[in-house]
Coordinates of all heavy atoms in Angstrom, one line a residue:
M76 N -92.4 24.1 -0.2 CA -93.4 23.7 0.8 C -94.4 24.8 1.2 O -95.4 24.6 1.5 CB -92.6 23.3 2.1 CG -93.4 22.5 3.0 SD -93.8 20.9 2.3 CE -94.2 20.1 3.7
Q77 N -93.9 26.1 0.9 CA -94.8 27.2 1.3 C -96.0 27.2 0.3 O -97.1 27.5 0.8 CB -94.0 28.5 1.0 CG -94.8 29.7 1.6 CD -94.0 30.9 1.5 OE1 -92.8 30.9 1.0 NE2 -94.5 32.0 2.0
D78 N -95.8 26.9 -1.0 CA -97.0 26.8 -1.8 C -98.1 25.8 -1.4 O -99.2 26.1 -1.4 CB -96.5 26.4 -3.2 CG -95.9 27.5 -4.0 OD1 -96.0 28.7 -3.6 OD2 -95.2 27.3 -5.0
S79 N -97.7 24.6 -0.9 CA -98.7 23.7 -0.4 C -99.4 24.2 0.8 O -100.6 23.9 0.9 CB -98.0 22.3 -0.2 OG -97.0 22.4 0.8
E80 N -98.7 24.9 1.6 CA -99.4 25.4 2.8 C -100.4 26.5 2.4 O -101.5 26.6 3.0 CB -98.3 26.0 3.8 CG -97.5 25.1 4.5 CD -96.3 25.7 5.2 OE1 -96.2 26.9 5.4 OE2 -95.5 24.9 5.6
E81 N -100.0 27.3 1.4 CA -101.0 28.4 0.9 C -102.3 27.7 0.3 O -103.3 28.1 0.5 CB -100.3 29.3 -0.1 CG -99.3 30.1 0.6 CD -98.6 31.1 -0.4 OE1 -99.1 31.3 -1.4 OE2 -97.4 31.5 -0.1
F82 N -102.0 26.7 -0.5 CA -103.1 26.0 -1.1 C -103.9 25.3 -0.1 O -105.2 25.3 -0.2 CB -102.6 24.9 -2.1 CG -102.1 25.5 -3.5 CD1 -100.8 25.2 -3.9 CD2 -102.9 26.3 -4.2 CE1 -100.5 25.7 -5.1 CE2 -102.5 26.8 -5.4 CZ -101.3 26.6 -5.9
S83 N -103.4 24.7 0.9 CA -104.1 24.2 2.0 C -105.0 25.2 2.7 O -106.2 24.9 3.0 CB -103.1 23.5 3.1 OG -103.9 22.9 4.1
K84 N -104.4 26.3 3.0 CA -105.3 27.4 3.7 C -106.4 27.8 2.7 O -107.5 28.0 3.2 CB -104.4 28.6 3.9 CG -103.5 28.4 5.1 CD -102.6 29.7 5.3 CE -101.5 29.5 6.4 NZ -100.7 30.7 6.5
L85 N -106.1 27.9 1.4 CA -107.2 28.4 0.5 C -108.3 27.3 0.4 O -109.4 27.6 0.4 CB -106.5 28.6 -0.8 CG -107.5 29.1 -2.0 CD1 -108.2 30.3 -1.6 CD2 -106.7 29.3 -3.2
A86 N -107.9 26.0 0.3 CA -108.9 24.9 0.3 C -109.7 24.9 1.5 O -110.9 24.8 1.4 CB -108.1 23.6 0.1
K87 N -109.2 25.1 2.7 CA -110.0 25.2 3.9 C -111.0 26.3 3.9 O -112.1 26.2 4.2 CB -109.0 25.2 5.1 CG -108.3 24.0 5.4 CD -107.3 24.2 6.5 CE -106.5 22.9 6.7 NZ -105.5 23.0 7.7
Q88 N -110.5 27.5 3.4 CA -111.4 28.7 3.2 C -112.5 28.4 2.3 O -113.7 28.7 2.6 CB -110.6 29.9 2.8 CG -111.3 31.1 2.6 CD -110.5 32.2 2.0 OE1 -109.3 32.2 1.8 NE2 -111.2 33.4 1.8
V89 N -112.2 27.8 1.2 CA -113.3 27.5 0.1 C -114.3 26.4 0.8 O -115.5 26.6 0.6 CB -112.7 27.0 -1.1 CG1 -113.8 26.4 -2.0 CG2 -111.9 28.1 -1.8
L90 N -113.8 25.5 1.5 CA -114.7 24.4 2.0 C -115.6 24.9 3.1 O -116.7 24.5 3.4 CB -113.8 23.3 2.5 CG -113.2 22.5 1.4 CD1 -112.3 21.4 2.1 CD2 -114.2 21.7 0.6
R91 N -115.2 26.0 3.8 CA -116.0 26.6 4.8 C -117.0 27.6 4.3 O -118.0 27.9 5.0 CB -115.1 27.4 5.8 CG -114.4 26.5 6.8 CD -113.7 27.3 7.9 NE -112.8 28.2 7.5 CZ -111.4 28.2 7.4 NH1 -110.9 27.0 7.7 NH2 -110.7 29.0 7.0
D92 N -116.9 28.1 3.1 CA -117.7 29.1 2.5 C -118.5 28.5 1.4 O -118.0 28.3 0.3 CB -116.9 30.3 2.0 CG -117.7 31.5 1.6 OD1 -118.9 31.3 1.2 OD2 -117.1 32.6 1.7
P93 N -119.8 28.4 1.6 CA -120.7 27.7 0.5 C -120.6 28.6 -0.8 O -120.7 27.9 -1.8 CB -122.0 27.7 1.1 CG -121.9 27.9 2.6 CD -120.5 28.7 2.7
V94 N -120.6 29.8 -0.7 CA -120.6 30.7 -1.9 C -119.3 30.5 -2.7 O -119.3 30.3 -4.0 CB -120.8 32.2 -1.5 CG1 -120.6 33.1 -2.8 CG2 -122.1 32.4 -0.9
L95 N -118.2 30.5 -2.0 CA -116.9 30.3 -2.7 C -116.9 28.8 -3.3 O -116.4 28.6 -4.4 CB -115.7 30.4 -1.7 CG -115.3 31.9 -1.4 CD1 -114.1 31.8 -0.4 CD2 -114.8 32.6 -2.6
L96 N -117.4 27.9 -2.5 CA -117.4 26.6 -3.1 C -118.3 26.4 -4.3 O -117.9 25.7 -5.2 CB -117.9 25.6 -2.0 CG -117.9 24.1 -2.3 CD1 -116.5 23.6 -2.7 CD2 -118.4 23.2 -1.1
Q97 N -119.3 27.0 -4.3 CA -120.2 27.1 -5.5 C -119.6 27.7 -6.7 O -119.6 27.2 -7.8 CB -121.6 27.7 -5.2 CG -122.6 27.6 -6.4 CD -123.0 26.2 -6.7 OE1 -123.4 25.5 -5.8 NE2 -122.9 25.8 -7.9
K98 N -118.9 28.8 -6.5 CA -118.2 29.5 -7.5 C -117.1 28.6 -8.1 O -116.8 28.6 -9.3 CB -117.5 30.8 -7.0 CG -118.5 31.9 -6.9 CD -117.9 33.2 -6.3 CE -118.9 34.3 -6.2 NZ -118.2 35.6 -5.9
L99 N -116.4 28.0 -7.2 CA -115.3 27.1 -7.6 C -115.8 25.9 -8.5 O -115.4 25.6 -9.5 CB -114.5 26.5 -6.5 CG -113.4 25.5 -6.8 CD1 -112.4 26.1 -7.6 CD2 -112.8 25.0 -5.5
S100 N -116.9 25.3 -8.0 CA -117.6 24.2 -8.8 C -118.0 24.6 -10.1 O -117.8 23.9 -11.1 CB -118.7 23.7 -7.9 OG -118.3 23.2 -6.6
D101 N -118.7 25.8 -10.1 CA -119.1 26.3 -11.4 C -117.9 26.5 -12.4 O -118.1 26.2 -13.6 CB -119.9 27.6 -11.2 CG -121.2 27.4 -10.5 OD1 -121.7 26.3 -10.4 OD2 -121.8 28.5 -10.1
R102 N -116.9 27.1 -11.9 CA -115.8 27.3 -12.8 C -115.1 26.1 -13.3 O -114.8 25.9 -14.4 CB -114.7 28.2 -12.0 CG -113.6 28.6 -12.9 CD -114.0 29.5 -14.0 NE -112.8 29.8 -14.8 CZ -112.8 29.8 -16.1 NH1 -113.8 29.4 -16.8 NH2 -111.7 30.0 -16.8
V103 N -115.0 25.1 -12.4 CA -114.4 23.8 -12.8 C -115.4 23.2 -13.9 O -114.9 22.6 -14.8 CB -114.3 22.8 -11.6 CG1 -114.0 21.4 -11.9 CG2 -113.2 23.4 -10.6
Y104 N -116.6 23.2 -13.7 CA -117.6 22.8 -14.7 C -117.4 23.4 -16.0 O -117.4 22.7 -17.1 CB -119.0 22.9 -14.2 CG -120.0 22.3 -15.0 CD1 -120.3 21.0 -15.1 CD2 -120.9 23.1 -15.8 CE1 -121.2 20.5 -16.0 CE2 -121.8 22.6 -16.6 CZ -122.0 21.3 -16.7 OH -122.9 20.7 -17.6
E105 N -117.3 24.7 -16.0 CA -117.1 25.5 -17.2 C -115.9 25.0 -17.9 O -115.9 24.8 -19.2 CB -117.0 26.9 -16.9 CG -118.3 27.6 -16.6 CD -118.0 29.0 -16.1 OE1 -117.1 29.7 -16.4 OE2 -119.0 29.6 -15.5
I106 N -114.7 24.9 -17.2 CA -113.5 24.5 -17.8 C -113.6 23.1 -18.3 O -113.1 22.8 -19.4 CB -112.4 24.6 -16.8 CG1 -112.1 26.1 -16.4 CG2 -111.0 23.8 -17.2 CD1 -111.2 26.2 -15.2
M107 N -114.3 22.2 -17.7 CA -114.4 20.8 -18.2 C -115.2 20.9 -19.5 O -114.9 20.0 -20.5 CB -115.0 20.0 -17.0 CG -114.1 19.7 -15.9 SD -114.9 18.7 -14.7 CE -115.2 17.1 -15.4
L108 N -116.3 21.6 -19.5 CA -117.1 21.6 -20.7 C -116.3 22.2 -21.9 O -116.4 21.7 -22.9 CB -118.4 22.6 -20.5 CG -119.6 22.0 -19.8 CD1 -120.6 23.0 -19.7 CD2 -120.1 20.8 -20.5
Q109 N -115.5 23.2 -21.7 CA -114.7 23.8 -22.7 C -113.7 22.8 -23.2 O -113.4 22.7 -24.4 CB -114.0 25.0 -22.2 CG -113.2 25.7 -23.3 CD -114.1 26.2 -24.5 OE1 -115.1 26.8 -24.2 NE2 -113.6 25.9 -25.7
D110 N -113.1 22.0 -22.2 CA -112.1 21.0 -22.7 C -112.8 19.9 -23.5 O -112.2 19.4 -24.5 CB -111.5 20.4 -21.4 CG -110.4 19.3 -21.7 OD1 -109.5 19.7 -22.5 OD2 -110.5 18.3 -21.3
L111 N -114.0 19.5 -23.1 CA -114.7 18.5 -24.0 C -115.0 19.0 -25.4 O -114.8 18.3 -26.3 CB -116.1 18.1 -23.3 CG -115.9 17.2 -22.0 CD1 -117.2 17.1 -21.3 CD2 -115.3 15.9 -22.4
R112 N -115.4 20.3 -25.4 CA -115.6 20.9 -26.7 C -114.3 20.9 -27.6 O -114.3 20.5 -28.8 CB -116.2 22.3 -26.6 CG -117.6 22.3 -26.1 CD -118.1 23.7 -26.0 NE -119.3 23.7 -25.3 CZ -119.5 24.4 -24.1 NH1 -118.5 25.1 -23.5 NH2 -120.6 24.5 -23.5
N113 N -113.2 21.3 -26.9 CA -111.9 21.3 -27.6 C -111.6 19.9 -28.1 O -111.1 19.8 -29.3 CB -110.9 21.9 -26.7 CG -111.0 23.4 -26.5 OD1 -111.8 24.1 -27.2 ND2 -110.4 23.8 -25.5
Q114 N -111.8 18.9 -27.3 CA -111.4 17.6 -27.7 C -112.3 17.1 -28.9 O -111.8 16.5 -29.8 CB -111.6 16.6 -26.5 CG -110.6 16.7 -25.4 CD -110.8 15.8 -24.3 OE1 -111.2 14.6 -24.5 NE2 -110.6 16.2 -23.1
R115 N -113.6 17.5 -28.8 CA -114.5 17.1 -29.9 C -114.1 17.8 -31.2 O -114.1 17.2 -32.3 CB -115.9 17.5 -29.5 CG -116.9 17.0 -30.5 CD -118.3 17.5 -30.1 NE -118.3 18.9 -30.1 CZ -119.1 19.6 -29.3 NH1 -119.9 19.0 -28.4 NH2 -119.1 20.9 -29.3
D116 N -113.7 19.0 -31.1 CA -113.3 19.8 -32.2 C -112.0 19.3 -32.9 O -111.8 19.3 -34.1 CB -113.1 21.2 -31.9 CG -114.4 21.9 -31.6 OD1 -115.5 21.3 -32.0 OD2 -114.3 23.1 -31.1
R117 N -111.1 18.7 -32.1 CA -109.8 18.1 -32.5 C -110.0 16.9 -33.2 O -109.2 16.4 -34.1 CB -108.8 18.0 -31.4 CG -108.2 19.3 -31.0 CD -107.0 19.1 -30.0 NE -107.3 18.3 -28.8 CZ -107.7 18.9 -27.7 NH1 -107.8 20.2 -27.5 NH2 -107.9 18.2 -26.7
C118 N -111.0 16.1 -32.7 CA -111.2 14.7 -33.3 C -112.6 14.5 -33.8 O -113.4 13.8 -33.2 CB -110.9 13.6 -32.2 SG -109.2 13.8 -31.6
P119 N -113.0 15.2 -34.8 CA -114.4 15.1 -35.3 C -114.9 13.7 -35.7 O -116.0 13.3 -35.7 CB -114.5 16.1 -36.4 CG -113.1 16.3 -36.8 CD -112.3 16.1 -35.7
S120 N -113.8 12.9 -36.2 CA -114.2 11.6 -36.6 C -114.6 10.6 -35.5 O -115.1 9.6 -35.7 CB -113.1 11.0 -37.4 OG -111.9 10.9 -36.6
S121 N -114.3 11.0 -34.3 CA -114.6 10.2 -33.1 C -116.1 10.4 -32.6 O -116.4 9.7 -31.7 CB -113.6 10.4 -32.0 OG -113.8 11.7 -31.5
R122 N -116.7 11.3 -33.2 CA -118.2 11.5 -32.8 C -119.0 10.3 -33.2 O -118.9 9.7 -34.2 CB -118.8 12.7 -33.5 CG -118.1 14.0 -33.0 CD -118.9 15.1 -33.6 NE -118.0 16.4 -33.6 CZ -118.3 17.4 -34.2 NH1 -119.3 17.5 -34.9 NH2 -117.5 18.5 -34.0
R123 N -120.0 10.1 -32.3 CA -120.9 8.8 -32.6 C -121.9 9.4 -33.6 O -122.3 10.5 -33.6 CB -121.5 8.5 -31.3 CG -120.6 7.8 -30.4 CD -121.2 7.4 -29.1 NE -120.2 6.9 -28.3 CZ -120.3 5.7 -27.5 NH1 -121.5 5.1 -27.7 NH2 -119.4 5.3 -26.8
L124 N -122.4 8.5 -34.5 CA -123.2 8.9 -35.5 C -124.7 8.5 -35.2 O -125.4 8.1 -36.1 CB -122.8 8.2 -36.8 CG -121.4 8.7 -37.2 CD1 -121.0 7.9 -38.5 CD2 -121.4 10.2 -37.5
F125 N -125.1 8.6 -34.0 CA -126.5 8.2 -33.7 C -127.1 9.2 -32.7 O -126.5 10.1 -32.3 CB -126.7 6.8 -33.1 CG -125.8 6.5 -31.9 CD1 -126.4 6.6 -30.7 CD2 -124.6 6.0 -32.0 CE1 -125.7 6.3 -29.5 CE2 -123.8 5.8 -30.9 CZ -124.4 6.0 -29.7

């Protein structure tokens, strides 16, 4: 239960600070792009041909 309380405090801190929120958003975006690239590399035959 302690972990969820710590995450809750951190989430509130991030939501109150626009700079932290932007950094978090940018990092999530970077991770998602990397994941999409990895998926594409694993399944090259699933690429659209147009």
Side-chain angles (χ1 to χ4, degrees):
M76 197 64 159
Q77 189 176 3
D78 284 343
S79 63
E80 291 173 7
E81 289 178 28
F82 284 128
S83 179
K84 287 180 186 179
L85 181 59
K87 288 177 185 177
Q88 180 184 358
V89 169
L90 290 173
R91 284 191 301 262
D92 186 335
V94 174
L95 282 177
L96 185 57
Q97 185 64 50
K98 285 182 178 183
L99 176 64
S100 299
D101 290 346
R102 184 65 182 129
V103 168
Y104 182 74
E105 289 173 16
I106 292 169
M107 290 175 65
L108 279 179
Q109 186 61 44
D110 184 55
L111 286 172
R112 288 183 194 114
N113 290 341
Q114 288 180 39
R115 185 182 61 210
D116 292 343
R117 283 193 302 267
C118 300
S120 63
S121 66
R122 291 185 197 170
R123 294 180 183 225
L124 300 175
F125 56 95

